[in-house]
Structures are given as C-alpha cells and as structure tokens.
Amino acid sequence: MLFNSYIFVLLFLPLVLIGYFGINHFRKYKLANLFLIGMSLWFYGYYNPKYLLVIGISVLGNYGVAFGINHLSDEKIKWKKVLLILGIVANISSIFYFKYYDFFVSSLNAVAGTDFVLRHVVLPLGISFFTFQQVSYLVDTYKGQTKDYGFIEYALFVVYFPQLVAGPIVLHSEMIPQFRDENRRCVNYQNLSHGLYVFAVGLVKKVLIADTLSKAVIWGFGDVASLSVLEAIIVILSYTLQLYFDFSGYCDMASGIACMMNFRLPQNFNSPYRATSVAEYWQRWHMSLTRFLTTYVYIPLGGNRKGKWKTYRNIMIVYLVSGIWHGANWTYIVWGITQGVFTCINRMTKNLWEKVPKALRWFINFGLINLFLVTFRAESLTQAWEYYKRLFSYSEGGFWRVREELAYCFQMEEFTVFLPGTIAGISTNYFFMILMLAVVLLLSVFAKNSSEITFEKTKRRAFATVALLVWGIFSLNGVSEFLYFGF
Amino acid sequence: MDVMERQESVEEKNGFRRWFWKLILGIVGCLLAGGAFVVYVDPFFHYHAPLKNLQYPLMRENERYQTDGILRNWDYDAIIIGTSMTECFNTSDLNYLFGVNSVKTPLAGGLFKEMNDNLERAFTSENDIKMVVRSFEYQCIAEDKDATKDIYDYAEYMTNDNPFDDAPYLFNKEVLGRAGQVLIHTARGLETTSFNEYANWMSNNCFGPAYVYLSYEHDEPARAERVMTEEERTRIRENIRQNITELANEHPETTFYLFFPPYSIGYWDQVCNDRELNWHLELEQIAIEEVLQCPNIKLYTFSMIDEITNLDNYCDLEHYAQWVNYGILVKMSQDEGLLTRDNYMEYLERERDYFSNFDYEAFWEEQYDAF
C-alpha cells in the first residue's frame, strides 16, 4: 500500500486512528500494539502477500538472535559475538539475495564470460530499510542496550507502517520508549491537527510536484541521445528536484501519520538544497541513513581518530556502502564513490572553501549535486556517459533548442487551463515550465521545511490543511490519454 | 516538530478539538461536493446516460473511459466497435443503410479480448442489440486470447460494477475538469459530439503516396518462409472462440458483421517480402473456419477491392480514409464480399494468386513519380 493512494487516505488511515485510539481508550495497550502490528502487516502485504513471509522470517529471526545474545551470560562474550556476526551475515545475505543476486550474476557473466542464469527475484518492499534497522538493533543488543524488550514491542518497532517501506531508519531507543509511554495513548487534537497538516504537505510534495517533474525526467532519459544542452540541464534539474520532493514528501507523510498517533519519527531531510558543501549536503539529506552509516560503519572503522589517510579511507568505505545500499547497479556504486571523493576533497580544502562567497559555494555545490545525480538516475554507466556528453558538447540538438514536448511535461491543467495557448507567439507551456522550475527550486531552498514550521491554530493554517489535502487527494489519479493510432 | 514535550492545557485541548473537527468537516465537505458534482454530470457515463439538460463533448483520447458507460447507459440497437480501423465510420451511414440506431465505441490499438469484454458489458444493458459491426484485424487474430496492450494503463474501475473502487473516478481532478468541460460545452450552445465526429481522425492525417511511403519499411527479403506452428494454430482458435464466437453463440438474436479491413497493397508487399503470405493465408483460413460455424456471424472481406492500389485512400500502410469506411458499409448492406462455406477456399486461392503475382516494384516506381 502507498500513502498516496485512495485506499490509504480514505480507508486505512481513518481505520488505524479509530481502532488504535479506540482500543487505547479501554487501556488495552498490548491489544492496541497488536492492532498496529496487524494493520502494518496489512499495509505491507497489500500488493503482494508473499512479502509477509519475508518480513515475518526477518522479524522472528532477528528477535531470536537478539534473545539469544541477551540471555547468554556476560562471560560468554565470544558466543555473543558469534551470534551477532551470524545475525548480521543473515541480514546482509537476505539483502544480497533479494536485491543483488541478479546484479552480481550478470556482472560475473559480463566479466568472466560465464552463462549463469538470472533468477529475477522479486524485491520485497523496504527490505533495505527494515534490514538496516534490525542490524542496528542486533549491534545495540550486543552492547547490552536492549535487555527488556518484549517480542510485541520489537515487532511493532520493525513493522510500524509509517516508516516501514521508505524510512526513516529508526532506532529502537527512539521508538520503543514512545510505544511504552502511556501518556501518548490518548487522543491529542493538537497532534492530530499538526500531523494532518504535515501529511497534507507531504502528499502535495509527492503527487503534485514530484510526479509532475517525473514526466520530464522520464521523457529526457527516454531518449538521451537527442537532448540539446539546455534540455539536458532542464531534465537533470527536474530530477534533482523530483528526488527531493518525492522522498521528503513521503517522509513528511510518514511523520504526519506518526504525529497523529503521538509518535515522533526522526527528521530525515533538513532542506538539503540549502547546503553549500557536499559534507553539509549529507548532513541534511537522508539524515537517518547518514546516522546509521556513521554509527555502525564509520565509527567502528575508527572514524577520524586514526589519522588523516585512514579517515579518508573510512569516508570512502561509508560512501561505497551507501552507493551499494541504494541499488543494484554500477551507477549507484560510481555515484557513491563520487560522493566519497568529493567529501574527501571538501574535507581537505575546508578552510579554503569557506573563503569562497556563500552564494558561489551554493551554486557550485548545487551544480555538483545535479551532475552526480545524472549517474544516480541513469539506467547504466553507458547512458550516464551519453548524458554527460549531451551536457558538455554539442550534438544534433545543439545548445538552445527546447522541444515543446519537454515543456508540455510540466503542464498542470488546474493552472494552464486559465492560460492562453501562446504569449507573444511562444507556447505558454514554456513559460509554465520556467515558472514551475523556478518556484519549486525556490521552495526547496527558502521555504521552511516541516520541522521548522511552528504549528499554530490559525484560519490560514486551517485553509491550507484543507486545501492541500483535498488538492492532493484529487490528484492521486488522472485520466490517461490513449493516443495510439496504429493498432 | 515537537509533539509531546509539554502538557496540553484544557483550554488548548478544547480549542484544538473544535479546530480539528472543523478541518475534518471541511475536508469531507469538499470531497463530497466534488464527488457529487462528478456523479451528477458523469462525464464518462459511469452511472447514468447523458443528462438531457447537458451537452457532452466526446473525445478520442478518453475512449477507454467512456466506452463502457456508452454501451451500458445510452439508447441504441446497433454498435460499431473495433480498433482505429472503425473510428472513421459514420453511424448515420449505418443507420441509413440498415435501419438501426447505432453508437460507435472504438478502442484504438485494442485487441480482441478488450473488444469482447466491452461487448459483454453492452449486453448487460437494457438495449435490444440487433447488430454489431466489428473489425477483424489479421494482427489481432494471432494474439493470445487474454492479451491486452501493455502500453495502456487500464482504468478497471470504469469497467466494473463495484462502487467501492470508484474513488479514482469521483475524487479525480481531471474527471472534475471533464465535468466542468461539459458545463462549458453546454453553456456555449454546442451539442453532444455526434458519433460521426467522435474519434474520427480524418482531419489529423494526410493522405497520399508520400505519407504511405513514410510508414513503408522495405527490409531485405526474408530468407525462409514463415511456417505456422501448431501452437499458433491453437492460439488463433482459442482467441477466436473466447473473444468472437462465444459471445455470438450466447446472443443468437444479434447479427455480428465482421470484416477483414482493406489494407493497402503496401501492407501485402511487406507480407510477401517477409515471406509470410502462406502463413497469413493459413491464419485467415483458420479464422474463417472458426467464425463460419456461427450462424449469426457474417464475415466480409475487402482485401482485394480496387481502393487498395490507390494510395490517395491511405495515410499509412493500413489506415484508410472515411470514404473507404462508407464503401465498406455499402458493400455489407449488399452482402458484397461476404464469405461463406462455399466460397472461402476459392477466395483464399484468389488472394494467394493476386498478392504473390502482384508487381510491387512497378507499383512503387509508379508511386515515386506521384510524389
């Protein structure tokens, strides 16, 4: 199930809130937790019930390992370590099998000339997220930080639906105490209102902004060879903005839902396009992943405490892991490496960099983000290379040409219906494209993000909540145009 | 966003309680208003026939949304259905020639299953359907019985009777926009799009040898003759039985008029160049034999009519002009081109003879001079 779907907004979410608070009203807290687990599993298995098997085995298996670690005496530290390693290996193996098996086999076939068969394994939704979450739980268990968690609490921590499919990656220490806090079990109308507002903002970010921009991205990457320089710039800028509004929109919806239930999820985005360096960008982008990699990869490797070159090595390893985590393609690995390289350069030249005027730092950094994301978005390194060639050299498309098909991708009927077809002989689609990109970029940089907004009970806020939510719901579906002439 | 770090005062609690429920009221009110507007206007006829006080623009790009509604809710006793091969028919011509009151519900690019599913829905209406005119494309005959076009995002909620999945129709800003267009169309004094005009692509295309040539791909001749496999024969039979003859057998009161479309000679040039003529003829034979078992199906062929060698009648290798559609209806009304158990084998032999001996090279040279 997706947050941006009719069944979620009109049925699932009301049922969850009514059921959860209804059961809590009678102080049946364990039953309320079981109810949330049940609803979360319905959410997860909605499109493919087979996913439930995967997550069920994952939850049971990890809890079993943690139970074993917790119940071994302190003298048996070696066996605790063995269990921990087994648990981590099992988790990583499951991600490897579901996410990377075909990638590994096809790469091996390409390099070694072998002919191993691909298995076309269906990737369970969110496996990267809940697997990392549980790895962090096992490590903390080994450190003695999870002694008294029951199975129901643990299961709820893993499957809690707002963060299950796309994060943020939460820690047990920030979620389970909240589940235990009886004060959070009563309806809080301020949280309900605030959560609804944040959910509405996230919904609009996703279905109106991100989904509109995605049309231009699909168009551009569908025929890279024909792009002019300006078209290539517009398309990658659209992707940069799409990625942010899509992911942060989803995280806002997750936060909003959790807030309605009086829970707080960790912040995942802090206006990353305000960043003036690569390092700052990663402090603002997908913050829960950065936190996980810092805590469980960078620091155990020694962090920055083992000398300059080992620090750079550790940074490269972290970004390599990040690249691999993002997807099973060489493009992600190369993207991760470039992030690592530029983070190291940033570290080496920090003093010099800070002397550069802020606006110029921002411009260069934002430009680099766009450039890196070409590799991230491309289907292959070949396509990425082709895209870079379009950006930096003339092709049949030339420099200035922007086809109307690209401009048309940005069309939003609720606005463009009021515009004339042309202005001064130029199609209004072009003006709307420029306006939309400018507004969205300005929003991403200057507008307050959902964590910065002070929520107040004003008419303006009420109107915004209703308008955004209704607009978002009415934008969940469109009318596909069937324009197929030949059979 | 700081959620639980201070105790809510009673006053704040009551204030937010009222405020929250006003929000809910506002949201529910807007959804109900929008949904009610869609139900009332119903631009795609999902719930009811067109309202007498409103005029509806019918658009070709919305075929998949409004076909089901037209077939279930409009008044008619005859249907024209098929791919883009049927979009330029005039229902007024059919009505005049056959004395019926017809609707035209083409589904451009559709395969037989989609056509059949929509026809099944038509027979659930209260209409007494006397006649169905349907295109019988060679390419569609060879498809799997359950095949549908992958490129389409089918709106299944528009083609079933389950009201619980109608949210994408009721709470959809583009449907709201279409409903608004209905009001504007009416306010401008315009009338509901006639079925003659509906989906008609004549004005969007150019006709003549130069345009046909643009779609002509003369590859190297194939090395080997294509041979029909047993699997293909089975697939063809299953496709026709499930998607053509089964429905006809269930409705003996209705006459089904099927026709092989008159593709241009350029199409047959490609068939011969690809060494698929024998395969093609066997496909036709299997299809004809299946269809002729049904007493209420009349199958017509126009594959060798004079028009196919005059490329002014075509905008590409297959799509013919509206006047050819008219000619098809006239011929049908006179049973010209009707295939029967007595004549179909002789017809197939004539086809083999005609297309295998046609001088395509000379034909194209002649066309080059024209453009």
Side-chain angles (χ1 to χ4, degrees):
Chain A
M1 207 183 286
L2 298 172
F3 295 155
N4 51 309
S5 65
Y6 290 103
I7 188 168
F8 181 85
V9 176
L10 299 177
L11 180 68
F12 184 89
L13 185 57
L15 273 181
V16 163
L17 293 172
I18 292 168
Y20 178 69
F21 285 118
I23 297 172
N24 278 320
H25 178 72
F26 295 103
R27 300 184 186 275
K28 306 280 184 193
Y29 301 138
K30 215 176 225 179
L31 187 61
N33 286 350
L34 282 169
F35 173 78
L36 264 191
I37 290 170
M39 295 300 274
S40 297
L41 291 175
W42 176 26
F43 176 88
Y44 187 68
Y46 181 73
Y47 280 123
N48 190 344
K50 287 182 190 168
Y51 291 164
L52 294 174
L53 197 62
V54 175
I55 200 168
I57 292 172
S58 179
V59 167
L60 285 167
N62 279 289
Y63 187 76
V65 169
F67 185 88
I69 294 174
N70 273 331
H71 286 80
L72 282 170
S73 62
D74 290 341
E75 293 88 48
K76 294 190 180 167
I77 190 85
K78 239 188 227 174
W79 286 107
K80 287 190 186 222
K81 203 166 203 172
V82 165
L83 270 179
L84 171 67
I85 291 169
L86 277 174
I88 292 174
V89 166
N91 278 295
I92 302 301
S93 303
S94 72
I95 296 188
F96 176 81
Y97 175 72
F98 285 107
K99 199 166 174 175
Y100 300 106
Y101 180 86
D102 279 358
F103 167 64
F104 176 75
V105 166
S106 57
S107 299
L108 184 65
N109 287 343
V111 166
T114 48
D115 194 22
F116 294 113
V117 172
L118 303 180
R119 300 195 74 169
H120 304 296
V121 184
V122 174
L123 179 66
L125 271 181
I127 190 169
S128 306
F129 291 94
F130 65 73
T131 302
F132 266 30
Q133 200 170 316
Q134 294 183 95
V135 164
S136 80
Y137 181 81
L138 290 181
V139 172
D140 289 351
T141 301
Y142 176 76
K143 292 178 188 169
Q145 294 170 5
T146 65
K147 282 217 176 296
D148 62 342
Y149 294 156
F151 177 71
I152 293 175
E153 285 173 323
Y154 174 76
L156 183 57
F157 153 65
V158 177
V159 307
Y160 181 50
F161 72 90
Q163 50 81 37
L164 175 58
V165 168
I169 301 170
V170 297
L171 302 175
H172 60 90
S173 54
E174 61 196 353
M175 293 310 298
I176 295 182
Q178 292 190 75
F179 296 146
R180 287 179 164 184
D181 184 356
E182 289 180 8
N183 289 327
R184 294 176 190 261
R185 298 271 172 166
C186 306
V187 173
N188 181 314
Y189 285 98
Q190 184 174 359
N191 288 339
L192 275 174
S193 307
H194 190 180
L196 193 61
Y197 172 74
V198 173
F199 180 85
V201 167
L203 186 65
V204 164
K205 280 165 96 171
K206 168 85 181 83
V207 304
L208 279 162
I209 299 176
D211 287 354
T212 301
L213 293 170
S214 75
K215 294 182 216 165
V217 175
I218 290 167
W219 180 89
F221 277 88
D223 187 9
V224 170
S226 72
L227 294 176
S228 69
V229 175
L230 199 48
E231 284 173 344
I233 292 171
I234 290 169
V235 167
I236 197 57
L237 176 62
S238 301
Y239 181 65
T240 301
L241 296 169
Q242 176 208 339
L243 192 63
Y244 169 62
F245 280 92
D246 194 297
F247 202 173
S248 70
Y250 205 85
C251 288
D252 280 346
M253 287 192 272
S255 292
I257 295 162
C259 179
M260 285 193 255
M261 287 192 262
N262 304 327
F263 298 130
R264 182 179 176 176
L265 295 180
Q267 187 182 8
N268 220 9
F269 291 89
N270 185 17
S271 302
Y273 295 152
R274 289 181 193 162
T276 57
S277 68
V278 175
E280 188 189 352
Y281 171 74
W282 280 103
Q283 285 161 7
R284 291 171 174 271
W285 179 278
H286 203 172
M287 293 155 66
S288 64
L289 177 67
T290 303
R291 178 179 68 176
F292 176 90
L293 292 173
T294 305
T295 310
Y296 298 101
V297 180
Y298 184 66
I299 290 173
L301 286 173
N304 60 359
R305 289 172 288 128
K306 303 228 167 155
K308 189 169 64 173
W309 295 109
K310 283 200 174 162
T311 302
Y312 297 141
R313 177 204 68 181
N314 296 340
I315 289 171
M316 290 305 301
I317 290 172
V318 162
Y319 281 104
L320 183 62
V321 170
S322 172
I324 294 170
W325 180 87
H326 275 89
N329 196 320
W330 286 106
T331 52
Y332 296 114
I333 294 171
V334 167
W335 169 81
I337 290 170
T338 56
Q339 297 300 296
V341 165
F342 277 91
T343 302
C344 292
I345 293 173
N346 186 210
R347 199 181 175 88
M348 287 175 205
T349 58
K350 191 175 176 183
N351 293 334
L352 197 64
W353 183 245
E354 279 169 9
K355 290 177 184 161
V356 174
K358 189 174 180 184
L360 185 58
R361 272 189 281 142
W362 176 86
F363 184 79
I364 294 170
N365 190 60
F366 188 70
L368 283 174
I369 290 169
N370 279 267
L371 276 179
F372 297 151
L373 284 178
V374 168
T375 312
F376 189 85
R377 174 56 177 80
E379 286 161 15
S380 65
L381 292 177
T382 308
Q383 191 185 54
W385 179 242
E386 186 66 39
Y387 202 101
Y388 287 123
K389 285 199 295 189
R390 298 284 76 78
L391 272 172
F392 294 109
S393 65
Y394 279 72
S395 63
E396 60 171 78
F399 187 98
W400 293 109
R401 183 199 70 191
V402 178
R403 285 167 282 179
E404 194 170 350
E405 292 160 359
L406 175 58
Y408 186 78
C409 293
F410 294 86
Q411 200 191 56
M412 290 174 74
E413 265 190 48
E414 53 265 60
F415 298 115
T416 53
V417 72
F418 299 109
L419 298 174
T422 57
I423 296 174
I426 301 170
S427 167
T428 40
N429 287 326
Y430 288 106
F431 295 105
F432 195 76
M433 173 183 73
I434 295 166
L435 182 67
M436 184 166 183
L437 283 172
V439 166
V440 171
L441 180 59
L442 289 170
L443 280 175
S444 70
V445 176
F446 295 109
K448 283 186 182 174
N449 60 55
S450 49
S451 303
E452 291 169 332
I453 291 170
T454 312
F455 188 73
E456 284 155 356
K457 190 165 43 79
T458 60
K459 276 188 188 163
R460 215 170 100 181
R461 194 70 74 191
F463 177 77
T465 305
V466 173
L468 290 174
L469 193 59
V470 170
W471 192 16
I473 290 172
F474 273 87
S475 303
L476 288 174
N477 199 38
V479 173
S480 302
E481 290 193 347
F482 297 91
L483 292 170
Y484 186 71
F485 187 63
F487 295 104
Chain B
M1 184 172 67
D2 192 357
V3 299
M4 285 299 296
E5 273 143 30
R6 57 184 175 83
Q7 204 64 23
E8 214 180 7
S9 70
V10 172
E11 190 182 296
E12 278 175 339
K13 193 173 169 182
N14 286 341
F16 269 109
R17 186 202 299 258
R18 274 193 290 273
W19 202 77
F20 173 75
W21 286 112
K22 282 182 188 171
L23 284 184
I24 297 298
L25 203 63
I27 292 162
V28 171
C30 288
L31 291 178
L32 284 177
F37 179 59
V38 168
V39 171
Y40 172 70
V41 176
D42 199 7
F44 297 141
F45 322 111
H46 190 49
Y47 300 112
H48 56 74
L51 295 175
K52 291 190 169 39
N53 57 325
L54 294 177
Q55 304 296 324
Y56 292 76
L58 302 180
M59 288 184 276
R60 181 173 180 246
E61 51 266 31
N62 298 149
E63 281 175 355
R64 261 89 186 168
Y65 287 86
Q66 58 211 7
T67 290
D68 183 82
I70 292 172
L71 290 173
R72 281 187 303 109
N73 291 314
W74 287 51
D75 288 327
Y76 58 87
D77 59 10
I79 303 169
I80 298 175
I81 192 166
T83 64
S84 47
M85 295 290 120
T86 61
E87 286 177 318
C88 293
F89 277 121
N90 283 341
T91 49
S92 59
D93 293 337
L94 187 73
N95 297 348
Y96 172 73
L97 290 166
F98 288 87
V100 292
N101 171 27
S102 61
V103 293
K104 184 174 74 179
T105 54
L107 295 161
L111 301 177
F112 285 170
K113 175 152 172 59
E114 192 184 3
M115 307 300 168
N116 191 64
D117 288 350
N118 277 279
L119 281 174
E120 281 180 351
R121 298 279 287 165
F123 281 102
T124 66
S125 71
E126 289 172 6
N127 292 306
D128 174 25
I129 304 172
K130 293 184 194 143
M131 178 181 188
V132 173
V133 175
R134 192 172 163 179
S135 52
F136 197 45
E137 296 85 353
Y138 308 113
Q139 297 92 325
C140 297
I141 291 170
E143 291 283 350
D144 183 85
K145 62 182 170 62
D146 295 318
T148 51
K149 273 274 175 16
D150 285 343
I151 59 170
Y152 292 145
D153 184 16
Y154 292 98
E156 286 186 22
Y157 56 89
M158 295 301 296
T159 58
N160 63 38
D161 296 323
N162 179 8
F164 295 106
D165 69 355
D166 283 356
Y169 182 60
L170 296 171
F171 309 122
N172 182 331
K173 67 183 180 188
E174 292 186 29
V175 174
L176 263 184
R178 296 292 188 277
Q181 276 179 354
V182 172
L183 298 187
I184 294 170
H185 194 79
T186 308
R188 283 184 180 162
L190 300 167
E191 290 188 352
T192 295
T193 309
S194 71
F195 282 110
N196 284 3
E197 294 168 318
Y198 172 49
N200 190 310
W201 41 256
M202 283 291 296
S203 57
N204 296 334
N205 288 282
C206 299
F207 292 77
Y211 301 99
V212 176
Y213 190 70
L214 286 172
S215 65
Y216 178 65
E217 290 169 12
H218 206 291
D219 299 325
E220 284 298 310
R223 286 189 187 168
E225 185 79 27
R226 184 175 178 183
V227 175
M228 178 81 67
T229 64
E230 203 48 51
E231 194 187 320
E232 285 172 327
R233 292 188 189 98
T234 306
R235 193 166 68 222
I236 292 165
R237 289 192 181 101
E238 285 178 351
N239 186 16
I240 300 216
R241 283 173 195 168
Q242 177 182 286
N243 298 317
I244 304 283
T245 57
E246 193 176 290
L247 190 68
N249 286 329
E250 286 170 9
H251 296 279
E253 74 282 5
T254 305
T255 307
F256 292 79
Y257 290 72
L258 269 54
F259 67 95
F260 288 125
Y263 296 154
S264 78
I265 195 70
Y267 169 84
W268 293 101
D269 178 16
Q270 285 197 189
V271 166
C272 292
N273 187 62
D274 294 342
R275 299 188 67 181
E276 290 187 357
L277 183 61
N278 288 331
W279 182 91
H280 204 284
L281 291 170
E282 188 175 349
L283 175 141
E284 287 183 57
Q285 182 178 344
I286 297 170
I288 293 167
E289 286 170 354
E290 281 296 322
V291 159
L292 287 182
Q293 290 176 44
C294 262
N296 58 328
I297 294 182
K298 297 176 88 165
L299 175 60
Y300 296 83
T301 178
F302 306 110
S303 63
M304 291 181 285
I305 58 176
D306 293 337
E307 284 86 332
I308 71 166
T309 54
N310 179 357
L311 297 186
D312 287 330
N313 294 322
Y314 293 88
C315 61
D316 61 31
L317 291 179
E318 288 124 9
H319 289 87
Y320 40 84
Q322 188 173 342
W323 50 85
V324 179
N325 288 83
Y326 174 68
I328 287 170
L329 290 181
V330 169
K331 289 178 172 63
M332 277 187 184
S333 69
Q334 296 161 355
D335 274 348
E336 197 180 315
L338 180 67
L339 288 171
T340 65
R341 285 176 199 273
D342 297 328
N343 72 7
Y344 80 93
M345 287 304 294
E346 179 264 331
Y347 150 75
L348 288 169
E349 275 311 304
R350 273 196 299 118
E351 257 199 336
R352 183 192 306 283
D353 186 52
Y354 183 75
F355 292 119
S356 58
N357 292 321
F358 191 88
D359 191 345
Y360 297 102
E361 211 171 302
F363 174 79
W364 285 115
E365 274 182 26
E366 208 179 294
Q367 302 309 308
Y368 297 153
D369 294 337
F371 60 86

